[in-house]
Amino acid sequence: MEQKKVNIIHYIIVAAFCLLFRFIPGFAGITPLGMGILGSFIGAIYGWITIDMLWPSLMALCGVGLSIGMNQMLAASFGNMAVVALVLCMGVLGISMTTGAFNWLVQVMLNNKFMNGKAWLTIWFILVFAWFMGCHNPIIMCVIFCAFADSIFKQVGLQKNDKLIVFMYLGIAYCLMMGQILFPFISTGLTLVMAYGAMFPDNPIDIVPYLLYMVVVGVAMATVYVLLMRFVFRVDASPIANFKTEGGVPAATREQKIALSIFAMFIVLMLAQSLPLGPVKAFLGKFGLIGLTLILGCVCALLKDSEGKPLCNLEKMFHMCNWGQVTMVGYIMVCATYMNTPDTGISTAMAALIKPFAALPPLVFIVVALALGVVLTNVANNMIVCVLIMPFLVNFGMSIGMAPTAMVALLFFMAQFAIATPAASPVTAVAMTQEMADSNVMTKAALKIIPLLFICGLLIGWPVGQIIFG
């Protein structure tokens, strides 16, 4: 990624927050450990906006390592499965990019009769597909969908930071995060439902209405996002609508067919290991995401192109890795792990922020609590935001006769607007480290669209919950 030309003062500010903030006395119940993590967090966000992704992430990792210990920092960051998988996936995705397989797929999509000239239908289809695939490791899916979107942007001649690019990256991240709560028995949905079950054992989640609710609001909000792009922010999608390959789309080469087959196998194996497929799931579960990427990488190294030469050079593939992205996601994983612990006092401070609003009328409190959740989810892990707000929201919801599952589903859904900064979510971090858009430009766009998404979310989520749950 191109590094910005900045004054040395930005580097000094980042280093000061990351290294020295931990010596400031804690407040609102935040412990010295929490102050160290909070300081590195503030420094990282400032650096990502003013410098680039790599240097502030490394400094933030160093700062948090001084607070929790370097070994613990390394285990929670570069030892995290999602971070290792980001690196290994380049061996699989790199083939599709270097052989032009993704470019060929883009041409097929944009030149077929159903999509040709229908830019907004194409965009809607990509976002809805991203929503559905979000339940299967949204971080890796963000890498995949952004890589595919990049192929579209380059083929239709878009330039860096064009409005269409910025809103597409944000839309992909948003839809993937909505997808991660789609099913209450896998991914983030399972974690949140288990947390709810521990708090309210006498009011279990109604699985079928929950699924129906998430399908309706997921597709509806993906559609709302596309409508906001088109009619409110006036995004120009004409480059996609006008794209047409002269002479039609040529047949895929042998190399492209092999690359797409490997890519399809990767997706199928990822899905199979998370679906209830009995022995198949048990067998694939032994490998996990990292094991599958390692095996596919080894297979790729054995394949030959049409001239009998190696199809790919694995070492070259791994050199394509975006280390700014990897270190940023690694740091966010550390924050997600340690911000939730009682030793930091950060969760206590966040709960204290919510408590004063409990004196409001129930309906007003619910709206205010959801609004606070949207704000907090952009500076803290969305799971901890849900866990902190859940007991207040469910109790207040029941006091006005709203079913607990309806209240929980609405909270889970509203906590996915984490697209304002790279620190908001690992998924957003991946989207904001793409080469075709700068993170500060994406942040400005996100701050404009989040309030509108929140209003639309309430207008859709509340009545749909009343209809489905009664």
Side-chain angles (χ1 to χ4, degrees), residues 168-220:
M168 274 298 291
Y169 282 152
L170 290 173
I172 287 170
Y174 170 56
C175 289
L176 285 168
M177 283 185 284
M178 281 199 299
Q180 70 183 347
I181 57 168
L182 172 59
F183 296 108
F185 40 77
I186 57 175
S187 190
T188 303
L190 174 61
T191 304
L192 291 174
V193 167
M194 289 176 66
Y196 167 81
M199 293 182 190
F200 300 95
D202 298 328
N203 293 288
I205 289 284
D206 297 319
I207 299 298
V208 174
Y210 175 94
L211 278 170
L212 179 59
Y213 180 86
M214 288 303 174
V215 168
V216 172
V217 298
V219 175

Side-chain angles (χ1 to χ4, degrees), residues 12 20 96 189 239 273 316 326 368 372 410:
I12 295 173
L20 304 179
S96 295
Q273 70 174 353
K316 184 179 179 180
V326 171
V368 171
L372 277 173
L410 180 62

Side-chain angles (χ1 to χ4, degrees), residues 136 185-187 190 268-288 292:
H136 306 285
F185 40 77
I186 57 175
S187 190
L190 174 61
V268 169
L269 290 173
M270 280 186 63
L271 294 175
Q273 70 174 353
S274 58
L275 295 176
L277 298 176
V280 175
K281 178 181 179 180
F283 175 73
L284 293 176
K286 295 179 180 179
F287 295 92
L292 292 177

Side-chain angles (χ1 to χ4, degrees), residues 93-220:
L93 297 180
I95 297 179
S96 295
M97 289 185 269
T98 56
T99 60
F102 275 170
N103 291 341
W104 178 83
L105 199 60
V106 168
Q107 291 183 43
V108 171
M109 172 182 276
L110 299 183
N111 283 277
N112 72 77
K113 293 181 180 179
F114 183 67
M115 296 287 189
N116 186 244
K118 302 171 184 174
W120 291 109
L121 179 62
T122 302
I123 292 169
W124 180 86
F125 177 81
I126 293 172
L127 295 185
V128 170
F129 190 41
W131 160 76
F132 177 74
M133 295 301 292
C135 61
H136 306 285
N137 199 317
I139 300 173
I140 301 304
M141 285 299 169
C142 193
V143 176
I144 293 170
F145 274 89
C146 286
F148 182 71
D150 279 346
S151 298
I152 295 177
F153 302 151
K154 292 174 182 176
Q155 286 216 42
V156 302
L158 292 174
Q159 301 299 312
K160 184 174 181 177
N161 289 328
D162 278 348
K163 191 183 286 189
L164 178 58
I165 296 175
V166 171
F167 279 91
M168 274 298 291
Y169 282 152
L170 290 173
I172 287 170
Y174 170 56
C175 289
L176 285 168
M177 283 185 284
M178 281 199 299
Q180 70 183 347
I181 57 168
L182 172 59
F183 296 108
F185 40 77
I186 57 175
S187 190
T188 303
L190 174 61
T191 304
L192 291 174
V193 167
M194 289 176 66
Y196 167 81
M199 293 182 190
F200 300 95
D202 298 328
N203 293 288
I205 289 284
D206 297 319
I207 299 298
V208 174
Y210 175 94
L211 278 170
L212 179 59
Y213 180 86
M214 288 303 174
V215 168
V216 172
V217 298
V219 175

